[in-house]
């Protein structure tokens, strides 16, 4: 349920698309990963199926797409990537489980709670994540509406499609907005929890031990595992506090052998650029860079004021 809520929203996708996600649709990008469907309801030939960039939200683990996928993969018992084109979930039951949960949750709300949220019991359904996401994303000035239409798989018109091509930059900004980062402060340029490239994090045997389906994963999915592992390590305290004790994660090798403690010092986060890892934030609008420059200037001005005050005080002491 957690996964489907987060991924229908971030992908601006139909529930059926989230349910049918396969490991061979994932790939690594600069500071995130992406999902690229082969086709969809509005593009059965796949001519206009573009990568959808999925970013980490280091400030709100509950809605972080990297973290929820990390939990799903760490809890996998070896079925992920095996046969049936690497489906992540059992397609015969996943959609029903989600819709059943949604109905139960809506029925559990009192009339007063529904009134405060300004919704009726029948307002939310399997496609609400997609509808809510596109409505939310269209409310930002930073959103390129063409990129939003392309992410949602909507036509921009026959003429426009001849002249306006998909570009990664527009979707990257939409991806940052979709994961819950807000463009009115420099946190919008957050880097995901990650390890320094080239540094040995785990031995090959340990990767296979942690991720039981490792040998079955396509290369693209294997390439995003360091990001997923780093996210789980970084948010381990949140997971311990907020997941039920019955969660399968607490019975995995990751938890039993205390990988969070072992790897925590190797996990890096930051804003804009990390010199050690070489990772640079993508999809960041120009105005966010301007905000950072202003903040840096403010720091320098304050340092200058402190220096002047120190000199003045020193001069007063000499005169006395």
């Amino acid at each position: 349920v957690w996964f489907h809520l987060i991924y229908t929203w971030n992908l601006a996708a139909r529930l059926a698309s989230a349910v049918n996600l396969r490991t061979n649709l994932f790939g690594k990008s600069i500071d995130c990963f992406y999902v690229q469907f082969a086709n969809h309801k509005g593009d059965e030939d796949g001519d206009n199926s573009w990568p959808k960039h999925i970013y980490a939200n280091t400030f709100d683990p509950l809605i972080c797409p990297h973290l929820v996928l990390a939990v799903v993969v760490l809890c996998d018992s070896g079925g992920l990537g095996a046969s049936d084109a690497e489906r992540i979930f059992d397609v015969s039951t996943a959609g029903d489980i989600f819709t059943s949960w949604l109905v139960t949750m809506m029925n559990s709300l009192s009339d007063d709670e529904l009134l405060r949220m300004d919704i009726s019991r029948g307002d939310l359904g399997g496609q609400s994540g997609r509808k809510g996401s596109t409505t939310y994303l269209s409310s930002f000035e930073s959103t390129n509406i063409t990129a939003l239409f392309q992410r949602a798989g909507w036509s921009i018109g026959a003429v426009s499609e001849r002249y306006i091509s998909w570009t990664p930059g527009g979707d990257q900004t939409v991806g940052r907005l979709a994961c819950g980062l807000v463009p009115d402060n420099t946190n919008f340029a957050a880097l995901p929890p990650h390890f320094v490239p080239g540094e040995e994090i785990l031995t090959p045997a340990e990767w296979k031990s942690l991720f039981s389906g490792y040998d079955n994963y396509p290369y693209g999915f294997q390439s995003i595992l360091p990001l997923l592992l780093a996210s789980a390590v970084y948010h381990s305290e949140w997971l311990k506090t907020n997941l039920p004790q019955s969660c399968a994660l607490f019975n995995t090798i990751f938890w039993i052998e205390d990988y969070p403690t072992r790897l925590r010092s190797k996990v890096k986060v930051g804003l804009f650029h990390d010199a050690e890892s070489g990772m640079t934030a993508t999809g960041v609008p120009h105005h966010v860079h301007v905000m950072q420059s202003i903040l840096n200037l403010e720091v320098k001005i304050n340092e200058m004021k402190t220096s002047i005050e120190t000199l003045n005080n020193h001069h007063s002491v000499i005169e006395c």
Side-chain angles (χ1 to χ4, degrees):
V1 169
W2 182 23
F3 179 90
H4 290 127
L5 281 171
I6 299 303
Y7 273 78
T8 54
W9 181 278
N10 276 267
L11 294 170
R14 298 172 180 84
L15 177 60
S17 297
V19 168
N20 279 285
L21 270 177
R22 304 161 186 257
T23 55
N24 61 357
L25 303 179
F26 288 80
K28 174 74 168 60
S29 190
I30 297 169
D31 58 334
C32 63
F33 56 81
Y34 64 83
V35 173
Q36 184 170 6
F37 293 104
N39 53 29
H40 54 79
K41 183 179 178 181
D43 180 30
E44 295 184 357
D45 294 329
D47 295 332
N48 296 304
S49 181
W50 315 110
K52 301 182 181 187
H53 295 81
I54 307 296
Y55 286 85
N57 187 327
T58 56
F59 310 104
D60 192 345
L62 180 63
I63 59 174
C64 178
H66 288 206
L67 181 61
V68 63
L69 182 57
V71 172
V72 168
V73 179
L74 285 167
C75 292
D76 174 50
S77 60
L80 267 182
S83 71
D84 202 15
E86 303 93 16
R87 280 200 174 93
I88 293 180
F89 294 99
D90 181 350
V91 71
S92 65
T93 60
D96 291 338
I97 291 172
F98 178 79
T99 52
S100 175
W101 168 85
L102 188 60
V103 170
T104 301
M105 186 272 294
M106 291 300 294
N107 288 337
S108 70
L109 297 175
S110 68
D111 291 339
D112 287 342
E113 288 172 322
L114 291 170
L115 183 62
R116 286 197 296 271
M117 291 188 287
D118 194 25
I119 59 174
S120 302
R121 292 189 198 281
D123 285 350
L124 297 183
Q127 309 307 326
S128 294
R130 174 176 166 85
K131 294 175 182 177
S133 172
T134 51
T135 301
Y136 171 78
L137 293 171
S138 66
S139 69
F140 290 97
E141 292 181 1
S142 304
T143 300
N144 181 311
I145 295 299
T146 298
L148 174 57
F149 270 51
Q150 290 170 330
R151 190 177 184 93
W154 296 331
S155 172
I156 59 175
V159 175
S160 297
E161 286 175 352
R162 290 193 184 97
Y163 292 94
I164 301 176
S165 298
W166 178 90
T167 59
D171 185 76
Q172 288 165 348
T173 301
V174 172
R176 283 190 173 273
L177 291 166
C179 80
L181 297 175
V182 181
D184 63 358
N185 62 67
T186 55
N187 286 345
F188 192 73
L191 298 174
H194 62 281
F195 300 105
V196 176
E199 181 179 323
E200 185 177 61
I201 309 162
L202 302 173
T203 66
E206 287 173 325
W207 281 109
K208 294 178 182 181
S209 176
L210 265 184
F211 300 98
S212 56
Y214 187 88
D215 286 333
N216 293 322
Y217 297 154
Y219 173 77
F221 197 75
Q222 287 184 356
S223 71
I224 74 171
L225 292 180
L227 282 179
L228 301 185
L229 179 59
S231 185
V233 170
Y234 184 75
H235 294 297
S236 58
E237 286 301 317
W238 183 91
L239 293 169
K240 181 179 179 180
T241 303
N242 290 276
L243 293 185
Q245 288 303 304
S246 59
C247 180
L249 179 68
F250 301 126
N251 293 317
T252 63
I253 291 175
F254 171 78
W255 206 267
I256 293 171
E257 298 189 3
D258 201 12
Y259 273 85
T261 299
R262 173 182 167 185
L263 298 176
R264 188 170 291 118
S265 63
K266 297 183 178 182
V267 175
K268 301 180 65 63
V269 291
L271 301 177
F272 292 100
H273 178 75
D274 181 74
E276 186 177 2
S277 66
M279 182 179 286
T280 298
T282 57
V284 180
H286 181 66
H287 76 269
V288 179
H289 289 277
V290 172
M291 280 192 284
Q292 179 65 14
S293 297
I294 293 172
L295 289 174
N296 290 340
L297 182 60
E298 184 178 0
V299 169
K300 291 181 180 179
I301 291 173
N302 288 332
E303 290 174 349
M304 186 179 297
K305 287 172 61 178
T306 301
S307 297
I308 291 172
E309 290 172 357
T310 301
L311 287 172
N312 285 338
N313 292 336
H314 182 66
H315 182 66
S316 299
V317 171
I318 292 176
E319 287 185 337
C320 291

